[in-house]
Amino acid sequence: MRTHRPAPAVIDRNGLDQLVKLLIADGRTVIGPVERDGAIVLDEIESGAELPDGVGAETGPGRYRLHRRADRAVFNHAAGPQSWKRFVHPVRQRVDAPEEPRPLAFIGVRPCDLAALSVLDGVFGAAPHPDRRYQARRDRAFVVAVDCVEPGATCFCASAGTGPAATGGYDLVLTERVEGGHRFLVSAGTVEGEEVLERLTRRNATREEAAEADRALRGAAESMERSLPATDLRALLARSRRSERWQEIADRCLACANCTMVCPTCFCTTVEDVTDLRGGRAERWRRWDSCFDPDFSYTAGGTVRTSVASRYRQWMSHKLGTWHDQFGTSGCVGCGRCIAWCPAGIDITAEAAALAREEEPR
Ligand code: SF4
Ligand code: SF4
């Protein structure tokens, strides 16, 4: 895998702490992965010391467990239950009052999540009605991406075309290496990234270090256990509307909406008007909603999608099919979160493969 980046620099673990400190000194709220309650979550950090230290994650359908690693890797854990979506498209936000969010800096954005931010840009940033709250957060965010050298068992970014190497959409990109000394290869993707990189204590990477990082990324792509079927998924989903598979899935699906909550691209919301008890003050709030909620499709006196089968079909058909019609890309970036966090272990790659198999000649 060729990353086509300018010759990288190298920083050590202290250099990562220096990067966090520098972004905070520049007036940014720095968000990064932290270990909490048995998971890697994303939260504001005040120093690089809060980043994970030698924590790995084991994932599978309906499974996510942390474990101690033999090294002190910071970023070698699979995508956790949260995504960066919550910082540019908050879970709950008041929409009838002005706001002045502090500029953000994201540390450790995986390639699938970079792609997810780009997908959200297409949803919220597009003319003629861009979401100005989203744009205010997103446009000022400084993004430090990290290549995935150790994909999780639920990852399938290689077949989704989004990873495991970051190819754009970042200010800086890190490739973490632990063997032969803990260090991070760093390249800038923007002028702002270059300016930050110049302020870090660094050295040039050797040719062998850059080649070894490329080999690690190639190995990561080859080691991925899951993939989407190599077919036109948009057309497959359109042809599968009457498949019996939807009912098979519905027999397992709890309609809990976990898959939509953890998905880094699901963007649906509802709006609530809240008044005080005397009715003298009203506020308008927008909060995340899910197409798995029967009320989500409530229109003119009735719910349009009454069955779980119709709701799962809607979700998956939108993700892999009609998203292309609406936004020109797939709505799935291959992060695997919906597989790991589905309590029933329903796997979107297995379901897409099952639909593809139904079309094979017997
Ligand atoms: S559908 Fe699943 S694998 Fe695809 S982006 Fe959403 S959570 Fe990730
Ligand atoms: S597919 Fe899984 S996570 Fe999604 S609604 Fe059904 S049970 Fe919940």
Side-chain angles (χ1 to χ4, degrees), residues 11-340:
I11 60 171
D12 60 14
R13 183 63 185 80
N14 292 331
L16 189 62
D17 292 351
Q18 190 189 11
L19 173 61
V20 173
K21 201 185 264 183
L22 199 147
L23 291 170
I24 292 172
D26 285 350
R28 295 182 178 278
T29 299
V30 177
I31 314 289
V34 291
E35 183 184 355
R36 183 176 306 147
D37 301 331
I40 300 292
V41 297
L42 301 173
D43 205 354
E44 182 174 352
I45 55 171
E46 289 174 0
S47 83
E50 293 173 59
L51 292 167
D53 182 355
V55 186
E58 180 206 323
T59 61
R63 184 174 172 78
Y64 175 94
R65 296 282 184 281
L66 295 187
H67 59 81
R68 293 285 135 204
R69 296 173 56 96
D71 56 40
R72 305 196 63 182
V74 178
F75 298 113
N76 284 350
H77 43 77
Q82 297 176 342
S83 71
W84 306 89
K85 173 176 82 172
R86 64 194 300 109
F87 301 102
V88 286
H89 173 47
V91 179
R92 199 164 177 270
Q93 65 178 317
R94 195 173 163 192
V95 290
D96 61 346
E99 59 173 12
E100 267 303 318
R102 265 159 57 98
L104 299 166
F106 298 155
I107 302 249
V109 184
R110 292 168 187 284
C112 57
D113 283 342
L114 281 178
L117 286 170
S118 164
V119 168
L120 290 180
D121 291 346
V123 173
F124 290 115
H129 302 297
D131 182 323
R132 306 231 178 271
R133 285 164 201 280
Y134 173 87
Q135 281 187 316
R137 292 186 172 88
R138 175 74 171 113
D139 290 350
R140 295 160 74 200
F142 186 93
V143 175
V144 181
V146 61
D147 289 320
C148 264
V149 286
E150 286 185 26
T154 42
C155 298
F156 57 98
C157 65
S159 69
T162 61
T167 53
Y170 52 77
D171 294 288
L172 289 175
V173 59
L174 310 177
T175 315
E176 181 171 23
R177 307 305 300 132
V178 283
E179 277 170 31
H182 195 185
R183 65 206 185 285
F184 304 84
L185 277 69
V186 199
S187 298
T190 60
V191 173
E192 204 177 355
E194 267 170 31
E195 287 166 4
V196 170
L197 182 53
E198 276 170 21
R199 291 156 67 197
L200 295 176
T201 307
R202 67 197 187 284
R203 65 170 172 82
N204 291 334
T206 63
R207 195 178 291 200
E208 175 47 30
E209 277 177 313
E212 190 275 333
D214 272 355
R215 280 197 299 277
L217 286 167
R218 203 163 38 239
E222 285 161 6
S223 72
M224 231 164 268
E225 295 170 20
R226 280 183 164 70
S227 62
L228 285 170
T231 185
D232 180 347
L233 293 170
R234 179 170 165 266
L236 173 67
L237 269 296
R239 287 193 301 267
S240 303
R241 285 189 55 73
R242 298 190 187 284
S243 167
E244 289 173 6
R245 187 75 190 179
W246 303 120
Q247 188 51 51
E248 265 181 58
I249 301 168
D251 291 343
R252 289 173 279 144
C253 175
L254 309 172
C256 68
N258 262 16
C259 47
T260 53
M261 295 295 116
V262 297
C263 179
T265 65
C266 279
F267 60 84
C268 290
T269 54
T270 190
V271 172
E272 292 169 339
D273 287 337
V274 185
T275 59
D276 64 13
L277 285 178
R278 300 203 308 191
R281 215 171 120 249
E283 293 177 357
R284 178 158 290 185
W285 288 79
R286 188 166 78 179
R287 66 164 173 80
W288 290 1
D289 203 349
S290 169
C291 52
F292 280 90
D293 184 337
D295 283 348
F296 185 74
S297 66
Y298 186 93
T299 22
T303 291
V304 174
R305 296 182 206 106
T306 50
S307 68
V308 173
S310 67
R311 299 207 284 279
Y312 189 91
R313 182 181 67 183
Q314 153 64 24
W315 177 69
M316 188 166 151
S317 300
H318 190 210
K319 280 281 134 191
L320 302 178
T322 51
W323 206 292
H324 287 276
D325 304 317
Q326 221 179 340
F327 303 113
T329 65
S330 171
C332 176
V333 296
C335 71
R337 287 183 175 93
C338 57
I339 304 171

